[in-house]
Amino acid sequence: VIVLEVLLNTSQEPLQEATCLVLANLCEDPTGDWKQLQQNGAVFSVAHMLGSASASLQEAALTLLAMLCSHKECREQAADSGVATSLTPLLGSTKPDVQRAALALAQQLCAFGRAADALLEAGAASPLAAMLLSPGTGSSEVVAAVLECLSRLADSGLTQAQRAVRNVGAVPHLIQLMSHQDGRISRFATSLVSSLCPGDVQNAEQLFESGGLVLLSEQLDSGDERAQLQALSALSQLSAEPVQAHAIVENGCLTSTLQLLEHPNQELRAYAAITFGNLCSAGALTPAQLQHPSVLPHLVAMLSSSNALAKGPAAAAIASMANQPSLRQSLHELGGLPGLAALLELDVETSYHAVQAIAQFAADERFRQVLPEAGAIGPLAGLLSSPQPHVQHCALSAVANLSFVPSAVGPLCQSGALTVVGQMLFSHDAAVQTMCLTTLCNLLGGNAASADALLQVGGHVALLTQLSSPSPDAQSQAAMSIGHMCRHRPAVQALLQAETVPLLSHLLHSPHPAVQLQTVYALGALAAEEEAAASAV
């Protein structure tokens, strides 16, 4: 009690130093003396001593505060005292003993959120980062303490921590510490590299230049789940930038990332999927790499991954290679079609990549037959109404090719595809008109009763318009479609009211045999249904 009174009342620095040393010795014993000091406001008095010009008093005060701040109540008082402002310059002290004592106090304060925020605001990250470059920071305990403080400050404010590390050029030193024999140091260093380099251009460049990616790659192969998680966490963020994505591939991280896609740890799998997805999106993987037998199965597996972030890039990569017949065969053998079909119902970008690939399969007679079994028809019909023209165009191409498959006709009609295609026939785009006519001709030929859906949207009027098209192919398909419709009696009356017979009769004079043939078919079908139709013909 007497020593405490001296501490609280004296202004003589030698006496202050002596009392700090005595009280520090008392606090080493588990007697609860710290509680009495805390209740009497000793923390505030000692914190004020850090502003002294005496290095020995600074060291004594720092030592006592570090011991007191091992207790939560004292850390709270230290934060309230504004100790961070006085402590920050001492972290950069040229006196090794003062600097080490300051580090011990900082380590205690960083464990308390409010105190860590105050240290960050006071700029403590800079002298801490600079300590990594100091030859005097040789002890493993000291290095571990510095890294722990930086890690906690990074948690408190990433941007400030990134700037501090960048300004002192500490990234190369962090990378060296990633391979330190002390497990605590290597883990802290890897964690800091994982958080401080992504999103900071200069830190990321230093990471590449200092061989950090090679070390990250080695950690992916380490078998240490914690190290793998930290490495992949860094790569998942770094790979979001195209330049960095290419560097990741060049430094040999691809194979290990692919292997971790099948890891039992869900978080590891998620980071691996994000990384691989980013590499695909950035174009960091060459076609040869994507098509390699060691990569392709992973791409297909990602289509059905639980990680939604990975699906779009995987679909994009597959869409880019689906124009090659041999790769379509490989993708089919790997079971990629159901996964692609499922992606047709996701977000616009993902569904676009998926429908691009599906359209390539639909154009291939070898795989056209299996698309209905893969569940593609319903989603494709839905995409016909997409507000995105490029998505709609790919979906229409796939539907037009699928309409040649007899087993697909019924499901396509039931999906409402015919209604949308009938509306799309009014388009002025010649390619769209051609695909619409192909679809209508095939669907009406396989299911004449589906003409009801076409009549509801006035699609028969669009068909009649095509009879006057300058294209003989369009005229021929339109006439054939009308002939198919006439096999459904309710459609005949609508066609008669639309003056179908005069338009068809005009085509009997066409110089093109195919047009004449389909015109005769349509007139015959029309006349066969009822007397009024025959009379009109």
Side-chain angles (χ1 to χ4, degrees):
V1 175
I2 297 173
V3 176
L4 175 59
E5 288 180 358
V6 172
L7 176 74
L8 297 175
N9 296 308
T10 185
S11 59
Q12 298 177 31
E13 290 192 349
L15 194 52
Q16 289 176 332
E17 179 183 339
T19 52
C20 282
L21 293 173
V22 171
L23 290 171
N25 288 329
L26 290 174
C27 287
E28 284 183 341
D29 298 326
T31 56
D33 288 328
W34 70 269
K35 190 72 174 176
Q36 192 172 1
L37 292 174
Q38 181 259 330
Q39 290 173 345
N40 285 276
V43 171
F44 293 93
S45 297
V46 178
H48 183 70
M49 298 175 190
L50 298 183
S52 168
S54 167
S56 57
L57 175 56
Q58 290 172 345
E59 182 186 352
L62 287 166
T63 302
L64 176 57
L65 279 174
M67 298 185 72
L68 290 173
C69 287
S70 63
H71 305 283
K72 179 176 179 291
E73 297 86 345
C74 293
R75 287 198 294 270
E76 291 178 352
Q77 285 190 346
D80 292 336
S81 73
V83 71
T85 305
S86 304
L87 174 60
T88 296
L90 299 181
L91 289 167
S93 172
T94 56
K95 306 287 185 181
D97 292 337
V98 172
Q99 188 182 49
R100 192 170 288 107
L103 176 60
L105 175 56
Q107 193 174 10
Q108 295 292 347
L109 293 177
C110 283
F112 178 55
R114 191 151 54 86
D117 292 342
L119 281 170
L120 192 70
E121 195 65 31
S126 292
L128 283 167
M131 288 176 73
L132 295 175
L133 283 63
S134 171
T137 315
S139 159
S140 292
E141 289 297 327
V142 173
V143 174
V146 172
L147 293 174
E148 181 184 352
C149 289
L150 278 174
S151 184
R152 294 201 183 260
L153 291 181
D155 291 339
S156 184
L158 181 60
T159 303
Q160 295 97 314
Q162 284 177 323
R163 183 169 57 246
V165 168
R166 181 198 322 129
N167 289 344
V168 301
V171 170
H173 298 272
L174 285 172
I175 290 168
Q176 290 176 4
L177 294 173
M178 285 172 61
S179 55
H180 198 282
Q181 60 185 9
D182 187 315
R184 292 175 308 158
I185 292 175
S186 62
R187 285 193 295 271
F188 273 130
T190 302
S191 176
L192 280 166
V193 168
S194 301
S195 60
L196 298 179
C197 292
D200 187 294
V201 176
Q202 191 170 331
N203 284 347
E205 287 177 353
Q206 287 188 345
L207 172 68
F208 303 146
E209 293 168 0
S210 303
L213 286 177
V214 175
L215 286 175
L216 289 175
S217 179
E218 290 175 357
Q219 291 196 334
L220 293 182
D221 296 326
S222 67
D224 181 338
E225 199 167 297
R226 184 172 178 178
Q228 290 173 322
L229 191 59
Q230 289 178 331
L232 269 179
S233 172
L235 292 174
S236 68
Q237 297 176 72
L238 288 167
S239 58
E241 293 293 330
V243 173
Q244 297 167 0
H246 282 82
I248 288 170
V249 174
E250 290 166 4
N251 280 272
C253 298
L254 176 60
T255 303
S256 303
T257 301
L258 291 173
Q259 291 171 348
L260 291 172
L261 285 168
E262 308 299 329
H263 197 280
N265 184 307
Q266 184 177 354
E267 193 174 7
L268 257 177
R269 289 200 309 272
Y271 278 130
I274 293 170
T275 302
F276 186 44
N278 287 341
L279 297 179
C280 292
S281 297
L285 301 175
T286 65
Q289 287 173 313
L290 286 171
Q291 297 161 17
H292 194 273
S294 67
V295 177
L296 199 56
H298 293 291
L299 269 179
V300 173
M302 286 171 68
L303 297 176
S304 305
S305 165
S306 59
N307 190 310
L309 295 175
K311 294 181 178 182
I318 287 175
S320 70
M321 63 178 77
N323 62 337
Q324 301 180 50
S326 61
L327 287 172
R328 285 199 292 272
Q329 180 68 42
S330 298
L331 290 167
H332 170 59
E333 291 172 354
L334 290 167
L337 285 177
L340 281 172
L343 299 189
L344 293 171
E345 298 182 282
L346 294 187
D347 60 277
V348 172
E349 186 175 354
T350 301
S351 62
Y352 173 52
H353 295 314
V355 78
Q356 277 184 302
I358 290 287
Q360 295 284 354
F361 279 96
D364 190 326
E365 293 183 7
R366 295 176 300 166
F367 308 111
R368 200 177 280 170
Q369 307 284 341
V370 299
L371 283 174
E373 301 169 11
I377 288 181
L380 281 173
L383 290 178
L384 290 174
S385 302
S386 169
Q388 307 295 327
H390 52 287
V391 174
Q392 191 182 52
H393 195 278
C394 286
L396 179 58
S397 171
V399 167
N401 282 313
L402 277 174
S403 68
F404 286 101
V405 180
S407 63
V409 171
L412 280 172
C413 292
Q414 292 167 9
S415 70
L418 202 140
T419 301
V420 184
V421 172
Q423 294 171 320
M424 293 175 72
L425 186 55
F426 287 103
S427 169
H428 296 294
D429 186 311
V432 170
Q433 290 177 351
T434 299
M435 290 187 286
C436 286
L437 285 169
T438 298
T439 305
L440 292 175
C441 195
N442 290 334
L443 295 185
L444 292 168
N447 185 356
S450 63
D452 287 337
L454 192 63
L455 293 173
Q456 289 174 3
V457 295
H460 63 298
V461 176
L463 274 176
L464 294 176
T465 302
Q466 291 296 318
L467 294 176
S468 303
S469 168
S471 165
D473 290 336
Q475 292 176 336
S476 176
Q477 283 192 308
M480 185 187 293
S481 299
I482 291 169
H484 294 333
M485 287 183 71
C486 290
R487 291 188 287 113
H488 182 57
R489 183 176 289 273
V492 174
Q493 193 59 39
L495 289 169
L496 287 175
Q497 291 174 354
E499 299 295 328
T500 302
V501 173
L503 290 169
L504 285 171
S505 299
H506 179 72
L507 290 182
L508 289 171
H509 302 284
S510 170
H512 303 283
V515 175
Q516 291 180 331
L517 176 64
Q518 298 306 329
T519 301
V520 169
Y521 163 66
L523 287 171
L526 193 62
E529 285 300 322
E530 60 179 60
E531 187 176 340
S535 175
V537 172

